[in-house]
């Protein structure tokens, strides 16, 4: 003991680091006996005295690149990493011990009776779900190993969803034939279910498959109970937040956040499992189904895949952020460009009408779901933020747009009005104002909006990619065409700036199949899927209408 007490501090720190990281997985519990050797060692190696040591331990066991990129160096100091290490170790133990996943599995905030230092006034279940959700969004490989291999989150999630006493409340509600409540923990649990889903875990036996798809089907197709987005899809520039924000401690920052709506991950999970069987017991496939790209199957893990989800969670939750008309980081310009393949589903109209009239969940669970494949070819067009309008715009202006002039030759592409985005428009037509004319050229889009003196010019993706200084994109307009078993159709719409919510009007060329509205999110980046719902356009936007779901993946 005396010899150990005379070792120089830098050598002690190296010993402590190797002791703490002897096991890659789990809390650095092996350091505890070392801290108990004597007072000198404890004073040199405690978390309070030596946060740099614990920041190194954090970086060894968890992924640190994403928080540094998203929060900045000032919010990811050694003190911040030390605090986050303590919080994560406590919460990972809770998952490992199967606490909080059932209504009979709650326990004090920490085993020694002390709080873990995070969100002391929020329930343990909420803290666990937020911590796990952020860990997955920051995952570059290490975080997922801690959650799966040490904490056993796959089993925890199965109990959360499918145990009769599961904390999601879904099983108890379904057993009563009631619609499960849409609350924060259910939404977070649904996102974790999709982000960590391994389909083979639910294909082991028929009963487990039926149970999982039956629950997911309610949230995926129950549009009148489980929304696609917050704020309401009706507003292109929202004037109010639909959900109150929660304050979550992340590193040393108190974040105001709103759990993202549950529909998008439920749709992805439901259609992934339903299409894993060649002949599904509850659906009709008119062609070989196309399953979404499963998040957990991505070989090279990258937190950049989830930058949009991170930005969206903050942008709709922080009351200090104005939900304006300039594109946020919730959508990456250019990410819709290209060819997409997928499917859309629908249920019998009379069954869906019964749901809108108050029918219980069993009506939906008994309904057959028809599927049709479809292909989209999408093109993005952008208008840039003028440096006269915002201090956040690039140091140099984008080049004047080159685009076809209107037939009267009167439009000057350098005037201010030509760079002003299209006004917020009809939500049932992809946020495009009624009466708007769209003329697509080789490199740009010319939009004639009623009441404006000059056309509005949007530039294509190629124009954005060749610019040396990347400008701030203010508005995204989308055009395209596609086909399904129902025929050829055209697509037209916009991306909502505050949260990257995509809304496209789908109009069949022959006119016999009518007009439909497709709304949803791009979940993920390079390996992402478009996930959302279509609805009829005859029903007023603020009234529940006839809806189904869809998923689209990039053509490989």
């Amino acid at each position: 003991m005396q010899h150990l007490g005379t070792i120089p501090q830098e050598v002690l720190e190296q010993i402590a680091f190797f002791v703490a990281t002897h096991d890659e997985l789990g809390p650095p519990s092996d350091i505890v006996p070392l801290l108990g050797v004597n007072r000198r060692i404890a004073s040199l190696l405690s978390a309070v005295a030596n946060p740099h040591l614990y920041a190194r331990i954090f970086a060894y066991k968890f992924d640190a690149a994403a928080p540094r990129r998203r929060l900045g160096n000032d919010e990811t100091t050694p003190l911040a990493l030390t605090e986050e290490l303590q919080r994560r170790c406590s919460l990972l133990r809770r998952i490992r011990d199967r606490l909080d996943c059932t209504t009979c599995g709650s326990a004090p905030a920490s085993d020694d009776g002390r709080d873990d230092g995070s969100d002391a006034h929020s329930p343990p279940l909420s803290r666990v779900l937020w911590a796990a959700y952020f860990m997955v969004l920051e995952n570059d490989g290490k975080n997922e190993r801690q959650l799966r291999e040490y904490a056993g989150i796959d089993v925890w999630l199965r109990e959360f969803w499918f145990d009769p006493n599961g904390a999601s409340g879904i099983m108890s509600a379904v057993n009563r034939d009631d619609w499960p409540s849409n609350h924060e923990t259910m939404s977070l649990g649904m996102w974790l279910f999709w982000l960590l889903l391994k389909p083979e875990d639910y294909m082991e036996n028929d009963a487990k498959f039926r149970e999982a798809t039956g629950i997911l089907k309610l949230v995926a197709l129950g549009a009148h109970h489980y929304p696609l987005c917050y704020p309401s899809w009706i507003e292109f520039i929202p004037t109010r937040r639909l959900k109150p924000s929660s304050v979550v401690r992340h590193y040393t920052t108190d974040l105001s956040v709103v759990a993202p709506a549950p529909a998008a991950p439920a749709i992805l999970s439901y259609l992934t499992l339903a299409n894993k069987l060649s002949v599904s017991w509850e659906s009709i496939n008119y062609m070989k189904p196309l399953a979404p790209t499963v998040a957990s199957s991505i070989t090279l893990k990258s937190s950049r895949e989830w930058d949009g989800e991170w930005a969206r969670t903050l942008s709709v939750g922080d009351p200090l952020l104005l939900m304006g008309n300039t594109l946020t980081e919730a959508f990456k310009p250019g990410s819709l460009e290209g060819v997409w393949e997928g499917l859309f589903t629908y249920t019998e109209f009379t069954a869906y009408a019964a749901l809108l009239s108050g029918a219980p969940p069993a009506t939906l669970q008994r309904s057959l779901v028809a599927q049709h494949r479809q292909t989209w070819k999408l093109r993005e067009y952008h208008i840039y933020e003028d440096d006269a309008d915002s201090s956040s715009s690039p140091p140099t202006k984008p080049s004047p747009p080159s685009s076809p002039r209107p037939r009267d030759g009167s439009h000057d592409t350098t005037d201010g009005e030509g760079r002003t985005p299209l006004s917020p428009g009809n939500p049932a037509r992809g946020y495009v104002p009624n009466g708007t004319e769209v003329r697509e050229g080789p490199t740009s889009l010319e939009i004639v909006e009623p009441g404006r003196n000059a056309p509005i010019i949007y530039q294509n993706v190629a124009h954005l990619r060749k610019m040396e200084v990347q400008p701030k994109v203010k508005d995204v307009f989308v055009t395209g065409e596609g086909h399904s078993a129902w025929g050829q159709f055209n697509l037209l719409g916009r991306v909502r700036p505050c949260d990257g919510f995509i809304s496209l009007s789908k109009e069949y060329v022959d006119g016999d199949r009518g007009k439909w509205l497709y709304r949803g999110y791009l979940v993920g980046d390079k390996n992402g899927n478009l996930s959302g719902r279509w609805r009829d356009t005859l029903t007023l936007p603020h009234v529940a209408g006839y809806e189904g779901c869809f998923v689209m993946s990039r053509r490989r």
Side-chain angles (χ1 to χ4, degrees):
M1 296 292 183
Q2 293 179 349
H3 293 299
L4 192 59
T6 60
I7 295 177
Q9 180 175 348
E10 59 271 20
V11 177
L12 272 177
E13 288 183 13
Q14 284 295 97
I15 293 172
F17 176 78
F18 286 116
V19 167
T21 57
H22 174 71
D23 291 327
E24 289 185 52
L25 300 178
S29 53
D30 288 344
I31 201 174
V32 175
L34 181 60
L35 294 175
V37 169
N38 58 46
R39 290 182 179 178
R40 176 178 179 269
I41 291 177
S43 67
L44 293 175
L45 301 181
S46 70
V48 174
N50 199 335
H52 292 275
L53 168 63
Y54 292 88
R56 289 179 61 202
I57 295 171
F58 177 93
Y60 182 87
K61 288 181 172 286
F62 299 97
D63 296 304
R68 290 195 178 105
R69 185 174 69 251
R70 295 167 182 168
L71 298 173
N73 291 331
D74 291 343
E75 303 297 334
T76 53
T77 62
L79 283 172
L81 296 182
T82 299
E83 180 179 320
E84 188 66 14
L85 175 66
Q86 293 171 318
R87 183 181 302 114
R88 287 191 183 181
C89 290
S90 173
L91 296 174
L92 285 175
R93 287 193 191 100
R94 296 187 72 85
I95 298 174
R96 184 182 177 91
D97 293 339
R98 305 290 177 266
L99 301 177
D100 314 307
C101 57
T102 63
T103 54
C104 55
S106 57
S110 62
D111 295 338
D112 58 7
R114 295 175 299 164
D115 185 64
D116 61 13
S118 64
D119 314 318
H121 298 292
S122 60
L125 174 60
S126 177
R127 303 206 306 256
V128 168
L129 288 168
W130 275 114
Y133 177 65
F134 285 150
M135 283 181 67
V136 175
L137 296 189
E138 294 175 357
N139 178 51
D140 287 303
K142 296 178 182 178
N143 288 359
E144 184 175 347
R145 289 196 63 204
Q146 296 287 359
L147 285 167
R148 287 193 194 275
E149 298 177 33
Y150 173 78
I153 195 170
D154 299 292
V155 177
W156 190 96
L157 282 171
R158 282 200 292 273
E159 294 186 9
F160 174 85
W161 282 112
F162 307 119
D163 188 277
N165 296 311
S168 67
I170 277 196
M171 291 302 295
S172 59
V174 168
N175 290 336
R176 300 189 307 268
D177 204 14
D178 289 337
W179 289 96
S181 299
N182 176 29
H183 45 70
E184 178 185 80
T185 54
M186 192 266 270
S187 293
L188 290 171
M190 189 62 75
W191 277 94
L192 285 170
F193 187 90
W194 163 247
L195 293 169
L196 296 169
L197 174 63
K198 290 187 174 181
E200 58 271 20
D201 291 344
Y202 295 89
M203 311 301 292
E204 297 171 355
N205 59 69
D206 189 61
K208 184 180 290 187
F209 170 79
R210 286 173 179 261
E211 187 175 63
T213 54
I215 294 299
L216 294 168
K217 184 178 183 180
L218 291 181
V219 184
L221 275 67
H224 57 312
H225 282 282
Y226 309 107
L228 271 171
C229 61
Y230 311 124
S232 168
W233 68 275
I234 298 174
E235 298 180 285
F236 183 69
I237 302 178
T239 55
R240 63 186 180 89
R241 286 172 165 81
L242 191 65
K243 288 273 189 178
S245 59
S246 299
V247 177
V248 177
R249 187 77 167 173
H250 192 51
Y251 296 86
T252 51
T253 304
D254 289 328
L255 301 176
S256 293
V257 290
V258 169
I267 292 166
L268 288 167
S269 300
Y270 167 66
L271 291 176
T272 295
L273 293 182
N275 290 329
K276 281 295 179 180
L277 295 183
S278 57
V279 178
S280 178
W281 62 275
E282 58 91 66
S283 66
I284 302 171
N285 297 315
Y286 289 97
M287 296 181 68
K288 183 180 178 181
L290 290 169
T293 302
V294 180
S296 65
S297 68
I298 301 171
T299 304
L300 184 61
K301 307 296 183 182
S302 173
S303 56
R304 292 186 182 275
E305 186 76 21
W306 313 115
D307 282 351
E309 276 63 46
W310 164 263
R312 185 177 304 124
T313 302
L314 268 63
S315 67
V316 300
D318 191 341
L320 298 179
L321 295 176
L322 297 178
M323 292 185 287
N325 63 344
T326 297
L327 192 69
T328 67
E329 294 180 358
F331 181 84
K332 181 180 178 181
S335 57
L336 289 181
E337 185 88 4
V339 180
W340 298 78
E341 296 177 313
L343 57 90
F344 64 92
T345 75
Y346 59 92
T347 55
E348 186 183 6
F349 181 77
T350 54
Y352 203 88
L355 293 174
L356 297 183
S357 299
T363 302
L364 179 55
Q365 289 186 311
R366 289 192 299 263
S367 300
L368 288 176
V369 180
Q371 298 184 10
H372 281 287
R373 288 181 61 167
Q374 62 177 343
T375 300
W376 293 356
K377 185 177 181 180
L378 300 180
R379 294 174 295 280
E380 268 189 42
Y381 294 89
H382 308 134
I383 199 165
Y384 309 124
E385 187 175 74
D386 192 340
D387 58 359
D389 297 332
S390 173
S391 60
S392 64
S393 52
T396 58
K397 286 186 179 181
S399 303
S402 57
S403 62
R405 295 176 180 266
R407 293 169 186 168
D408 61 6
S410 62
H411 177 52
D412 179 1
T413 58
T414 63
D415 73 1
E417 187 164 351
R419 292 195 301 269
T420 304
L422 186 67
S423 302
N426 184 355
R429 200 194 171 208
Y431 302 128
V432 178
N434 294 332
T436 297
E437 296 180 23
V438 179
R439 303 165 186 166
E440 196 165 5
T443 62
S444 62
L445 196 71
E446 183 180 270
I447 302 176
V448 180
E449 180 184 348
R452 290 216 186 187
N453 295 327
I456 311 163
I457 307 301
Y458 283 66
Q459 299 290 347
N460 67 3
V461 170
H463 182 85
L464 178 67
R465 290 172 178 166
K466 70 183 180 182
M467 299 178 72
E468 293 183 5
V469 178
Q470 290 296 294
K472 177 70 174 178
V473 173
K474 193 172 184 69
D475 193 33
V476 179
F477 198 98
V478 184
T479 66
E481 55 275 331
H483 63 271
S484 71
W486 287 9
Q488 305 286 328
F489 52 80
N490 294 316
L491 296 161
L492 193 74
R494 300 171 77 183
V495 177
R496 186 163 70 175
C498 69
D499 64 345
F501 186 70
I502 302 158
S503 187
L504 300 174
S505 174
K506 176 182 181 182
E507 184 173 357
Y508 281 89
V509 174
D510 58 16
D512 293 338
R513 292 288 185 174
K515 298 180 182 179
W516 307 91
L517 182 67
Y518 277 68
R519 304 154 299 140
Y521 287 112
L522 175 56
V523 179
D525 184 17
K526 293 181 179 179
N527 298 284
N529 303 278
L530 291 169
S531 174
R533 296 194 183 109
W534 58 261
R535 67 171 272 152
D536 75 278
T537 56
L538 299 177
T539 307
L540 293 175
H542 63 277
V543 178
Y546 181 38
E547 302 200 23
C549 57
F550 74 93
V551 291
M552 304 293 290
S553 302
R554 289 185 180 87
R555 176 179 284 177
R556 302 298 180 186

